[in-house]
């Protein structure tokens, strides 16, 4: 039975966020609606979730010694990973001691790199995936590309938001792809996955909630990515009843194997009625930001509710909705969003500005949300708002 006491007292609950980006910020807000004390951690100061948390710590979560020290000092009721780059062996050890990791330490360990989750899905659960090979050095990489064939996709086994990802379309792309993967991994240079190119009609994220009520699914989220980083997402993605049933079956198999309570973003490719598993995140998913306008409980509210041990008896879907990422380019710690009154002129449009302190190169700094009578109109409405928005990147 879940009991929630007064915040920041001996009877209150405490949650520790490992990663404090825009997704963690929304989780922090939802936890605070239940009176939970939130401690935010990230590798840089003033991260989005830190701006709304009760307290924060700055350190690399790949530093197992510091991670262990902070967790023991705070002694949280819930440890909530928000990023993949975490010293997961420490989480496994702490969980054995009685600490509660969301959804489980094993889930964080398996999904922190693409190798663990791919082998679980394809080799243990028998779920259909794209053909793949892993490589630890350049010689193995050349062999993997030869075996998989061109075209193929290359990714570091540990990265997010498309960092280090590239597509090999011809032989001259092979060496640059290796270089990109080595530079883009979240833990630095290392092992990569080479995936066969999948011809698909569209790809989805099936947000899957495991709670004390059982397993519940959100409406399928369609999305468009550029170099592995999401740019648009929408709900619902139109798909056949057969494909949806297969997708839900795969999502349940994978999430049951990972265990625990919380929301999982299960990514899949759809070709007709065929469904091919891609990846899973045991936490809110960037493409799921559309749920902030499309549902009565966003993916963040669902995550908070489930991990606290509370039931999720129903998810009420409001109607066709879309999100468009606000990606800012430049090098500045002074980004100004202007002309908001015109961007928000149409009904059914919302904007979230994440509050990230700076941009170097390109960075997702906000999101536009829109709802309409159809998905196509919701996307068009988000585009119009984006076009009206002015972004000024001022010199440092």
């Amino acid at each position: 039975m879940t009991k929630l006491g007064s915040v920041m007292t001996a009877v209150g609950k405490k949650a520790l966020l490992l990663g404090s980006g825009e997704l963690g910020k929304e989780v922090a807000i939802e936890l605070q609606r239940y009176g939970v004390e939130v401690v935010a951690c990230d590798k840089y100061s003033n991260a989005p979730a830190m701006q709304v948390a009760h307290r924060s710590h700055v350190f690399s979560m790949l530093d197992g010694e510091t991670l262990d020290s902070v967790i023991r000092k705070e002694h949280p009721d819930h440890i909530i990973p928000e990023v993949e780059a975490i010293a997961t062996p420490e989480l496994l050890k702490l969980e054995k001691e009685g600490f509660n990791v969301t959804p489980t330490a094993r889930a964080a360990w398996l999904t922190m790199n693409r190798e663990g989750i791919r082998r679980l899905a394809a080799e243990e659960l028998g779920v259909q995936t794209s053909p793949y090979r892993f490589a630890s050095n350049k010689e193995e990489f050349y062999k993997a590309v030869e075996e998989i064939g061109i075209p193929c996709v290359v990714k570091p086994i540990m990265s997010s938001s498309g960092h280090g990802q590239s597509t090999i379309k011809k032989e001259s792309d092979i060496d640059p792809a290796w270089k990109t993967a080595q530079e883009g991994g979240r833990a630095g240079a290392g092992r990569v996955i080479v995936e066969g190119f999948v011809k698909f009609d569209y790809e989805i994220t099936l947000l899957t909630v495991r709670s004390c009520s059982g397993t519940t699914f959100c409406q399928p989220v369609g999305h468009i990515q550029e170099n592995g980083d999401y740019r648009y997402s929408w709900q619902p993605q139109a798909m056949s009843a057969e494909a949806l049933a297969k997708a839900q079956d795969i999502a349940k198999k994978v999430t049951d194997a990972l265990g625990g309570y919380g929301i999982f973003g299960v990514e899949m490719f759809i070709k007709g009625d065929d469904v091919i598993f891609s990846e899973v995140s045991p936490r809110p998913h960037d493409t799921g930001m559309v749920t902030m306008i499309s549902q009565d409980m966003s993916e963040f509210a669902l995550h908070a509710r489930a991990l606290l041990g509370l039931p999720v008896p129903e998810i009420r879907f409001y109607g066709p909705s879309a999100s468009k990422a606000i990606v800012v380019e430049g090098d500045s710690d002074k980004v100004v969003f202007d002309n908001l009154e015109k961007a928000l002129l149409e009904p059914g449009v919302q904007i979230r500005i994440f509050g990230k302190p700076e941009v170097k190169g390109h960075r997702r700094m906000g999101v536009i949300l829109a709802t309409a009578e159809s998905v196509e109109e919701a996307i068009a409405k988000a585009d119009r708002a984006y076009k009206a928005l002015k972004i000024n990147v001022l010199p440092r």
Side-chain angles (χ1 to χ4, degrees), residues 9-288:
T9 70
V11 296
K13 296 290 185 183
K14 182 193 291 187
L16 185 83
L17 289 175
L18 297 179
S20 297
E22 61 267 33
L23 307 183
K25 179 179 181 178
E26 296 296 330
V27 172
I29 291 169
E30 295 296 342
L31 286 168
Q32 289 177 353
R33 296 187 197 281
Y34 289 101
V36 176
E37 179 183 352
V38 178
V39 182
C41 305
D42 214 312
K43 62 184 178 182
Y44 66 97
S45 60
N46 204 28
M50 293 178 180
Q51 298 164 25
V52 297
H54 293 95
R55 193 163 55 262
S56 64
H57 297 275
V58 178
F59 65 97
S60 167
M61 274 145 291
L62 289 169
D63 178 350
E65 185 176 340
T66 303
L67 177 67
D68 181 88
S69 173
V70 169
I71 290 173
R72 292 185 188 283
K73 176 183 177 182
E74 292 290 352
H75 210 276
D77 298 281
H78 300 278
I79 300 169
I80 308 172
E82 194 244 347
V83 295
E84 294 89 352
I86 297 172
T88 51
E90 292 299 321
L91 296 184
L92 290 165
K93 181 182 72 176
L94 290 163
E95 189 176 71
K96 286 181 180 178
E97 293 181 25
F99 285 90
N100 181 21
V101 180
T102 297
T104 65
R106 179 173 176 269
W109 172 64
L110 282 172
T111 59
M112 77 166 289
N113 70 69
R114 292 181 168 92
E115 183 165 4
I117 193 60
R118 180 57 63 93
R119 292 196 186 280
L120 171 70
E123 299 170 22
E124 292 184 37
L125 301 178
V127 169
Q128 184 180 0
T129 70
S130 62
Y132 61 90
R133 297 288 187 278
F134 294 101
S136 297
N137 53 51
K138 217 167 186 181
E139 184 180 351
E140 291 179 0
F141 175 65
Y142 289 149
K143 184 180 178 183
V145 172
E146 182 181 355
E147 291 177 353
I148 293 297
I150 296 175
C152 58
V153 179
V154 180
K155 307 171 187 175
I157 62 167
M158 193 166 72
S159 70
S160 63
S161 300
H163 295 296
Q165 178 174 323
S166 61
T167 300
I168 296 175
K169 298 178 180 178
K170 54 187 184 299
E171 284 195 13
S172 60
D173 294 333
I174 296 175
D175 283 339
W178 173 258
K179 185 173 184 290
T180 298
Q182 294 306 297
E183 293 174 349
R186 294 199 88 162
R191 202 159 162 83
V192 305
I193 182 173
V194 179
E195 294 184 87
F197 198 76
V198 175
K199 292 183 179 179
F200 57 89
D201 298 328
Y202 53 91
E203 54 187 323
I204 67 166
T205 303
L206 189 59
L207 296 169
T208 304
V209 187
R210 297 188 86 250
S211 73
C212 62
S213 303
T215 300
T216 312
F217 303 100
C218 297
Q219 291 285 329
V221 177
H223 50 88
I224 292 174
Q225 299 187 14
E226 290 182 13
N227 298 319
D229 195 10
Y230 125 92
R231 291 294 184 267
Y232 291 91
S233 68
W234 57 85
Q235 272 184 307
Q237 168 62 53
M239 56 193 303
S240 71
E242 184 177 347
L244 180 58
K246 287 181 181 178
Q248 291 178 343
D249 179 63
I250 289 171
K252 190 171 188 309
K253 279 183 181 176
V254 173
T255 56
D256 280 354
L258 294 175
Y261 289 164
I263 198 163
F264 298 77
V266 186
E267 296 181 66
M268 290 174 271
F269 301 112
I270 315 296
K271 178 69 174 176
D273 292 331
D274 291 332
V275 180
I276 300 168
F277 172 81
S278 176
E279 295 179 359
V280 60
S281 297
R283 61 186 69 87
H285 199 271
D286 53 6
T287 63

